[in-house]
Amino acid sequence: MTGTVPDIRDLLGMRTPAAWALVTAYALTCVVLAAYAAPDAESIWPLALAAAVCVTAAVALVAVPGDPMPLGPSIAMASTGLVSCGLVLSVVPVPMSDLSPLWTVGLSKIIFSFMCVRGRVGLAWLGLVLMIATAMTWSGQSERFGFAVLAINAAPVLMGTVFAYTIRPVIRSIYALREQSTQRIAAEAAASAMIEERDAQLDRLDELARPLLERIASGSQLDDAELLECLLLEARLRDTLRAPMLHDPALVEEVTAARRRGVEVVLLDDHGMDGAEPAVRERVQGAVADELVAVADGSVTVRVLPPGRAAMVSVLVSGDTVRRAEFGPDGHRRKGPVGSSA
């Protein structure tokens, strides 16, 4: 196979409880067959080890992520038949009176079949050939016997090969189409959100600016109060663009009130609060509003600091005296010496 596809285990349900139930049934089969062959064996531990090899391969087949399956685990699984068959034949009498000692051959071909499904066709066939060669050489049976065993056990692996070369390309196309669909939906959602935000901004601008614009368009002379409202509106619109994280209704009200008192208020946002929790933002915005309430003249600079600073927001009040307050990432006012806002 060429190229890669997303993990085929998702499509085949290999992460589901049903898959693990099949692995459990496979493991029980290994144990039963090993126990059945035990009375004729010279030693028990090679049979137990052969069963453990087959069970480990089955678990890895389901549990190992990636598609195609990573090369290291694939090579290990390809040796399942060779190792398990060799272990069993090393302790059973040969030549064999029946085929029961070759139980690992039937169990290993299941591993090889699913290796094909998971994209390791070449290694699966290599494992099958090595297993049959081991069985023919060690069991002392005829070449006709070896060919018969090969033909019987190659059929499931051949089915897995057909699946690999016919179905896997289709799966690649399915995943590609699904990815394109996901990207298109995400792009449409982002565009929709952008349009909604633009409409909301236009509605807000219409609400704020239309009365003054109509007054200006009428050609009448603006009085001092109306000129002040124009200046306040311009400053408010500038704050919306320059400090979006500080655009809270209660805070905006206090900023406007301070400017009406003649206080110069500058709001800056260097994005240090973009990732903050809503509760933290509300805490900071409320604290900044409280700071503005206490200022009667002079200037106030409120700055959301860049990300990664010890402080998240600073408030510098300049007038008859100069004071500075800082608020940490938790939204609480920091105690002790404060740093520079640069």
Side-chain angles (χ1 to χ4, degrees):
M1 296 293 294
T2 58
T4 59
V5 298
D7 202 327
I8 201 173
R9 295 180 302 160
D10 296 326
L11 187 65
L12 297 181
M14 296 179 73
R15 301 182 192 230
T16 62
W20 286 106
L22 290 176
V23 172
T24 302
Y26 179 91
L28 291 175
T29 303
C30 291
V31 173
V32 170
L33 292 175
Y36 180 79
D40 297 328
E42 298 175 1
S43 178
I44 300 299
W45 71 263
L47 300 179
L49 187 56
V53 168
C54 292
V55 172
T56 301
V59 171
L61 193 64
V62 174
V64 173
D67 197 84
M69 195 163 50
L71 183 60
S74 300
I75 293 174
M77 282 186 223
S79 66
T80 300
L82 171 65
V83 174
S84 61
C85 189
L87 286 168
V88 173
L89 292 177
S90 68
V91 294
V92 298
V94 292
M96 299 175 295
S97 58
D98 57 49
L99 299 181
S100 60
L102 294 180
W103 55 272
T104 59
V105 174
L107 293 173
S108 298
K109 72 182 178 184
I110 298 175
I111 301 298
F112 300 147
S113 300
F114 277 92
M115 284 181 63
C116 294
V117 172
R118 296 207 55 190
R120 291 300 181 183
V121 175
L123 286 173
W125 280 100
L126 176 62
L128 179 66
V129 171
L130 291 175
M131 179 182 66
I132 298 301
T134 302
M136 290 177 57
T137 303
W138 210 322
S139 64
Q141 303 296 322
S142 64
E143 293 183 358
R144 182 189 302 178
F145 164 82
F147 179 79
V149 173
L150 174 61
I152 293 172
N153 292 281
V157 182
L158 181 60
M159 291 174 61
T161 302
V162 172
F163 179 95
Y165 284 99
T166 58
I167 305 301
R168 283 175 62 86
V170 176
I171 294 173
R172 183 184 296 111
S173 300
I174 291 173
Y175 277 111
L177 290 173
R178 188 173 71 174
E179 180 65 22
Q180 293 175 6
S181 177
T182 301
Q183 292 178 355
R184 184 176 66 254
I185 292 172
E188 290 174 354
S192 177
M194 186 180 300
I195 292 173
E196 290 179 2
E197 178 61 21
R198 184 199 63 186
D199 291 343
Q201 294 282 4
L202 290 174
D203 291 342
R204 188 158 45 246
L205 179 63
D206 182 71
E207 179 184 353
L208 294 173
R210 178 180 289 275
L212 283 175
L213 291 176
E214 290 178 346
R215 181 75 175 87
I216 293 172
S218 67
S220 302
Q221 185 70 27
L222 301 179
D223 56 27
D224 293 341
E226 290 172 330
L227 290 174
L228 177 60
E229 290 299 324
C230 289
L231 293 174
L232 293 175
L233 176 59
E234 184 272 336
R236 181 172 178 176
L237 295 176
R238 184 174 63 247
D239 293 340
T240 303
L241 299 176
R242 195 161 59 179
M245 286 295 104
L246 298 175
H247 194 70
D248 172 73
L251 178 56
V252 169
E253 183 178 342
E254 293 300 334
V255 169
T256 302
R259 285 171 173 158
R260 289 184 186 279
R261 295 194 299 270
V263 179
E264 180 184 357
V265 181
V266 178
L267 304 182
L268 303 172
D269 186 354
D270 288 323
H271 307 290
M273 200 163 60
D274 290 0
E277 296 291 333
V280 174
R281 294 180 185 177
E282 292 176 5
R283 189 179 301 127
V284 171
Q285 291 162 350
V288 172
D290 293 340
E291 290 285 338
L292 289 170
V293 170
V295 181
D297 54 22
S299 65
V300 178
T301 300
V302 181
R303 181 186 179 191
V304 179
L305 300 172
R309 300 289 183 88
M312 185 170 63
V313 177
S314 68
V315 179
L316 179 64
V317 180
S318 301
D320 295 336
T321 60
V322 177
R323 71 176 189 275
R324 177 184 171 91
E326 289 184 346
F327 300 89
D330 58 357
H332 293 288
R333 184 168 182 161
R334 299 181 66 209
K335 298 180 180 179
V338 297
S340 172
S341 64

